[in-house]
Amino acid sequence: PRISPENAEAPQGLRSWKEIAAYLQVSERSARRWEKTEGLPIHRHQHLKRDAVYADPAELDAWWSNRGARLADQQPGQALLPQRLTWGAILVALGTILAASIYLLWPFQPLSGPAARPITSLAVLPLENLSGDPAQDYFADGMTEALIAELSKISALKVISRTSVMQYKGVKKPLPEIAGKLGVEGVIEGSVAREGDQVRISVQLLHGPTDRHLWADSYQREIGSILALQSEVARTIAREIHVQLTPQDQTRLASHRPVSPDSYEAYLKGNYYMQEFSPAGFQSAREYFEAAVRKDPNNALPYAGLALVVGGMSPPQAARVERRAAAERALQIDATLGEAQAALAEVKFMDKDFAGAEKDFRRAIELNSSYG
């Protein structure tokens, strides 16, 4: 239900994008877009961070009265109800819709839509960096990739790869258009804010074709337990979209151990630079991965990173030896890392152990189905 004006705290009223979007019954993406394109009345606390916004419900109602009908036509599938619509009118409208649905759908075709069947394909759009510091983009990108990796451990889901979703970083396009191009039913979007060793992640689940809001939540943890948090978010999303986790899925999602905050941050920086796919990027990535290993020798992630990055830096024979050692060490610590399994497969392929390479490649796909 939308928040009523009498329940909103003065003077801020609706105190975040999440509350504003819930009041309008649309996604945060649509609310933000409407501010820029439709003059949605949003106010900002000048002394706080850029995303410290608030809105007056009365102003939103007035804005809706002027623009609501036109926007409703542009938002297929949205149930946008003006605040002052009476219960009698609502019941009449629902009765009409129900009668029309029965007439049109019975008995010729089954009910369909996001409520009638599980969502089986997902895209995690790049999480927004709320720190206000572009130098922290590596952290938000790392959180995006970690959530993709966790969701990819759920065998019933098709999860779009990092490479495909990163093209939408900072892009303001209608969600149905993005979902259509990526070929997904569900879309995850959200934000990351970090202060010291504390990380706050806000995520919401949307039905892509209709931009319908399905679920949202916020989490705050210490950075050392961030991997366990990503698994928790993945399990929650699976429950919300009615996907049944297999025993193997549950084992993979429960495999994380706490990591050193300094080690994990160095790993994220290494992964960020590795994505540049340049000699300078590989060199910086290797330095950060090695620093992450020194800070926490039992963190499997930087070993997997080393197994991937040294292939583009060292002579072939030396690279095979180093990649094998790093990949095997990563898998000793965490046998669920698809990246490490793929790196080991590449070494076996280079050694012409084609049967072993195929086995490891198939295992890597099983562990991380979104890993290209």
Side-chain angles (χ1 to χ4, degrees):
R2 294 174 61 185
I3 303 169
S4 62
E6 55 269 24
N7 290 335
E9 295 184 15
Q12 290 87 358
L14 305 168
R15 295 171 294 173
S16 68
W17 280 114
K18 181 178 178 181
E19 290 186 2
I20 293 166
Y23 186 85
L24 295 171
Q25 297 185 3
V26 297
S27 68
E28 289 185 34
R29 177 180 292 269
S30 291
R32 290 171 186 261
R33 186 174 72 250
W34 285 349
E35 181 197 13
K36 295 181 178 180
T37 63
E38 303 294 341
L40 184 68
I42 301 296
H43 305 280
R44 283 172 169 76
H45 297 278
Q46 297 301 318
H47 61 290
L48 296 177
K49 294 181 180 178
R50 61 185 176 89
D51 256 51
V53 299
Y54 63 95
D56 182 348
E59 291 182 354
L60 293 185
D61 285 343
W63 174 88
W64 177 258
S65 297
N66 292 330
R67 291 176 167 83
R70 178 167 60 84
L71 291 177
D73 291 339
Q74 297 174 1
Q75 293 287 119
Q78 292 284 19
L80 299 171
L81 301 177
Q83 178 74 17
R84 297 181 179 83
L85 196 62
T86 66
W87 279 110
I90 292 173
L91 291 175
V92 170
L94 290 176
T96 303
I97 293 171
L98 178 60
S101 299
I102 293 174
Y103 176 79
L104 292 172
L105 299 174
W106 179 270
F108 303 104
Q109 56 184 347
L111 290 173
S112 62
R117 60 186 175 85
I119 288 174
T120 58
S121 56
L122 277 176
V124 181
L125 297 186
L127 300 178
E128 186 177 0
N129 169 22
L130 292 188
S131 69
D133 180 7
Q136 290 289 315
D137 278 356
Y138 77 89
F139 194 85
D141 290 354
M143 293 298 95
T144 303
E145 185 165 0
L147 185 53
I148 291 172
E150 289 303 301
L151 288 167
S152 296
K153 294 178 180 179
I154 301 173
S155 55
L157 279 179
K158 181 188 81 170
V159 184
I160 301 301
S161 71
R162 177 192 189 279
T163 305
S164 296
V165 299
M166 288 307 288
Q167 63 181 303
Y168 294 105
K169 182 177 179 178
V171 174
K172 303 299 182 184
K173 288 185 177 181
L175 195 70
E177 178 183 338
I178 295 175
K181 288 185 176 180
L182 293 175
V184 295
E185 302 155 323
V187 175
I188 304 294
E189 60 179 22
S191 59
V192 178
R194 180 187 174 192
E195 186 172 350
D197 285 345
Q198 293 292 316
V199 179
R200 182 176 182 83
I201 299 179
S202 298
V203 290
Q204 62 175 336
L205 170 66
L206 304 154
H207 183 244
T210 61
D211 202 1
R212 186 182 307 170
H213 182 276
L214 301 178
W215 165 83
D217 208 345
S218 295
Y219 305 82
Q220 184 163 335
R221 298 287 192 279
E222 291 185 352
I223 191 173
S225 60
I226 197 68
L227 298 181
L229 170 59
Q230 297 285 5
S231 293
E232 178 184 345
V233 174
R235 288 193 297 269
T236 302
I237 291 171
R239 183 174 66 247
E240 292 295 327
I241 61 178
H242 311 297
V243 167
Q244 186 68 38
L245 297 178
T246 67
Q248 293 81 5
D249 295 339
Q250 295 178 13
T251 298
R252 289 194 289 268
L253 288 170
S255 64
H256 297 300
R257 55 177 289 277
V259 296
S260 156
D262 290 341
S263 177
Y264 189 62
E265 181 164 0
Y267 163 73
L268 289 181
K269 289 181 178 179
N271 204 45
Y272 182 80
Y273 283 108
M274 184 173 64
Q275 301 300 329
E276 293 181 0
F277 295 102
S278 68
F282 288 151
Q283 181 60 43
S284 296
R286 179 170 185 164
E287 291 171 1
Y288 278 116
F289 288 146
E290 290 174 343
V293 168
R294 289 194 300 271
K295 294 174 186 295
D296 185 355
N298 292 316
N299 182 2
L301 292 169
Y303 286 107
L306 283 170
L308 295 171
V309 78
V310 296
M313 299 179 61
S314 305
Q317 184 58 39
R320 289 203 292 273
V321 173
E322 191 171 357
R323 293 184 80 180
R324 180 187 290 273
E328 289 178 345
R329 177 59 180 148
L331 292 171
Q332 285 175 358
I333 299 171
D334 185 352
T336 69
L337 283 180
E339 296 89 336
Q341 196 76 58
L344 187 59
E346 289 182 23
V347 172
K348 291 182 179 180
F349 183 82
M350 294 168 69
D351 286 338
K352 298 185 180 181
D353 177 9
F354 300 127
E358 180 180 1
K359 180 180 177 181
D360 284 348
F361 276 131
R362 292 188 181 278
R363 174 61 175 162
I365 293 170
E366 179 185 345
L367 293 172
N368 186 347
S369 60
S370 74
Y371 187 52

